[in-house]
Amino acid sequence: MRAVVLGAGAIGSVAGTLLAKSKDVERLVIADRSLGAARALADKLERGRAEAMRVDANKVDAMVDAFKGFDIVFNLVLPRFNLKIMDACLKAGVHYMDAATDLALAKEKPGEFVKAPPEALQLEYDDAFRKAGLTALLGMGQDPGISNILARIGADRLDEVQEILVRDGDNGSVEGYEFASLWSADTLIEEVLMPALAYRDVRFVRLGSLEGEEVFDFPPPVGPLTVYNVDHEETNTLPLFIGKGLQSMDFKIAIPEDLAHALKVFQRFGLHRGAPIEVEVKSTGEKVKVAPRDMLAALMPDPKTLADKARGTASLAVVVRGLKDGEKAGWMLWMALDHQECYRKYGFNATAYPVGAPMVMSALMLEAGEIDRRGAFPPEVLDPAPFLKHLPEFGIVVHERSLT
């Protein structure tokens, strides 16, 4: 397999490290708009296993030239570049995989119904990729990714699916910081504060930011955490592909209450906005343009520097409820990783590792013919059995409990 890892951030580091260790990878390029960042990651990998390349995800023609001759591109840059990267992959004739969709494309206000979720724009590439004999696997990290697979497993066990709940929780902390994001701070602020997509009574609807506060009891060792509705990819696709009469579906994530309060204050002042504004530097009189969200993100530590500082356990849980043989039935399926144990084994914390690892696993499955579907689609359309078979090879164990 000849692979391009586009994006030398936290998840790119996981993907690059695992690919460099695989005997099935004959050529590996770490690409980033910063050649320095690409070189820094490539130099950390096994000697001679990776090349560095400068690639700007905003320039389709340049990406086409860079991607030609490769088998797959791992898109691990900000999702606002997804469509351009997909265009480049089609023109270059390479498979595509990402970990997130551009949720910021949504324009509906809280309370409004949604005709088509943002990921529909990527799903529209299905025919083009299929005709080209290529695969675009959308959202194949932890959540989305493993979460979609777990939802599919639960749904397959029921005759009728009434409700799917996806819950992301972490009881951890980061040494030396009152608060630090273990993934892109830009993405955190954007996702948490945009109106959340939910599926209610067989319709997509927008909720307000940080609504639906409740305590969800994650399996041990995480335990009960306060969770909030947040916009997320699973809500874009599961209602479209699970079928079986699904009536309700949402995603909630655990957020410390003081952070949730702070984010709401930031939102009131417009500090969550991604568009640049002109600001006068009072000490010098100089005028500069900066996006308020970029400023907030710059004040947070780089997630790549936090791998060994996280303590606690991260968990992903999926609840599927419905009917089996006319009786109420349901399943909870979940995974959990300890940050320190994950770091000792793989060199990454339990936030970054389970995003990058399933992507590499899926690429190897694609190379081996275990994924043979062509087109652009989310993970839940695939047979979950091969995923369950290979996840333990990457240290990810799925647990389950009947809810009857």
Side-chain angles (χ1 to χ4, degrees):
M1 177 170 65
R2 295 156 298 178
V4 175
V5 173
L6 182 58
I11 311 305
S13 298
V14 177
T17 299
L18 294 174
L19 288 166
K21 292 178 178 179
S22 173
K23 60 180 177 56
D24 295 311
V25 177
E26 61 182 80
R27 188 182 177 197
L28 173 61
V29 165
I30 307 298
D32 198 280
R33 69 178 180 181
S34 165
L35 183 58
R39 281 178 175 160
L41 175 53
D43 289 346
K44 288 180 182 178
L45 306 180
E46 294 187 20
R47 179 179 287 276
R49 288 288 285 154
E51 310 161 43
M53 184 185 296
R54 185 185 185 281
V55 175
D56 188 339
N58 202 35
K59 297 179 179 178
V60 174
D61 290 341
M63 285 192 288
V64 173
D65 291 339
F67 297 164
K68 282 180 179 176
F70 287 87
D71 299 308
I72 188 167
V73 170
F74 294 81
N75 171 14
L76 295 170
V77 299
L78 293 175
R80 65 192 65 150
F81 298 108
N82 285 2
L83 300 184
K84 289 186 177 181
I85 300 169
M86 291 181 78
D87 286 335
C89 286
L90 273 173
K91 292 179 180 179
V94 299
H95 299 303
Y96 168 94
M97 192 183 306
D98 66 32
T101 199
D102 190 1
L103 299 173
L105 293 171
K107 303 303 179 187
E108 304 88 3
K109 297 178 181 178
E112 293 182 347
F113 290 108
V114 178
K115 291 182 179 180
E119 196 157 344
L121 290 174
Q122 288 186 267
L123 294 172
E124 288 177 1
Y125 281 71
D126 184 52
D127 283 344
F129 270 83
R130 189 170 59 251
K131 289 175 181 177
L134 297 171
T135 293
L137 185 51
L138 311 177
M140 192 54 245
Q142 178 185 29
D143 50 338
I146 295 175
S147 53
N148 302 63
I149 297 295
L150 300 188
R152 168 68 187 274
I153 293 169
D156 284 351
R157 296 175 180 178
L158 300 174
D159 299 324
E160 179 182 328
V161 180
Q162 297 173 335
E163 177 183 59
I164 297 177
L165 310 176
V166 180
R167 301 292 183 260
D168 185 324
D170 191 326
N171 66 2
S173 59
V174 178
E175 237 176 46
Y177 297 94
E178 191 168 338
F179 173 77
S181 175
L182 293 174
W183 74 95
S184 164
D186 180 280
T187 302
L188 167 71
I189 297 166
E190 184 178 58
E191 282 190 0
V192 168
L193 289 180
M194 65 178 63
L197 182 68
Y199 193 67
R200 299 280 188 266
D201 299 320
V202 201
R203 298 181 74 177
F204 288 108
V205 65
R206 285 285 165 194
L207 309 177
S209 304
L210 295 170
E211 283 189 1
E213 178 182 340
E214 65 178 9
V215 174
F216 182 81
D217 193 8
F218 289 89
V222 175
L225 294 174
T226 302
V227 297
Y228 302 82
N229 280 115
V230 168
D231 205 21
H232 228 253
E233 287 80 0
E234 294 91 334
T235 319
N236 281 245
T237 65
L238 290 175
L240 299 177
F241 293 98
I242 287 295
K244 292 193 173 183
L246 178 62
Q247 299 170 24
S248 177
M249 189 269 146
D250 68 15
F251 176 96
K252 293 186 180 183
I253 193 169
I255 300 174
E257 292 184 52
D258 55 348
L259 174 62
H261 175 73
L263 288 170
K264 289 178 181 178
V265 173
F266 294 157
Q267 187 178 43
R268 291 193 190 106
F269 281 95
L271 294 174
H272 66 299
R273 294 174 184 161
I277 60 173
E278 189 172 88
V279 178
E280 182 180 342
V281 181
K282 298 301 181 184
S283 60
T284 64
E286 179 187 6
K287 291 185 178 180
V288 298
K289 283 193 172 183
V290 62
R293 188 168 70 227
D294 290 345
M295 181 200 68
L296 285 177
L299 292 171
M300 295 185 186
D302 185 341
K304 288 186 293 184
T305 67
L306 304 176
D308 62 336
K309 298 179 177 65
R311 301 287 189 275
T313 302
S315 180
L316 165 69
V318 177
V319 174
V320 185
R321 294 191 178 97
L323 299 176
K324 178 68 175 178
D325 297 327
E327 301 289 334
K328 289 185 178 180
W331 293 89
M332 177 188 286
L333 300 106
W334 74 93
M335 59 160 288
L337 289 174
D338 178 271
H339 284 293
Q340 281 296 296
E341 183 180 354
C342 194
Y343 180 75
R344 284 193 297 270
K345 285 184 176 180
Y346 308 110
F348 301 96
N349 62 48
T351 299
Y353 178 77
V355 178
M359 298 184 75
V360 172
M361 180 191 77
S362 300
L364 294 173
M365 290 168 61
L366 182 63
E367 177 73 7
E370 292 180 275
I371 296 175
D372 58 7
R373 179 171 176 143
R374 299 295 178 253
F377 50 83
E380 64 266 28
V381 308
L382 299 171
D383 179 4
F387 290 90
L388 282 183
K389 172 187 172 184
H390 292 295
L391 280 170
E393 298 168 9
F394 288 81
I396 298 172
V397 178
V398 173
H399 308 272
E400 60 180 55
R401 183 174 73 224
S402 173
L403 299 178
T404 54

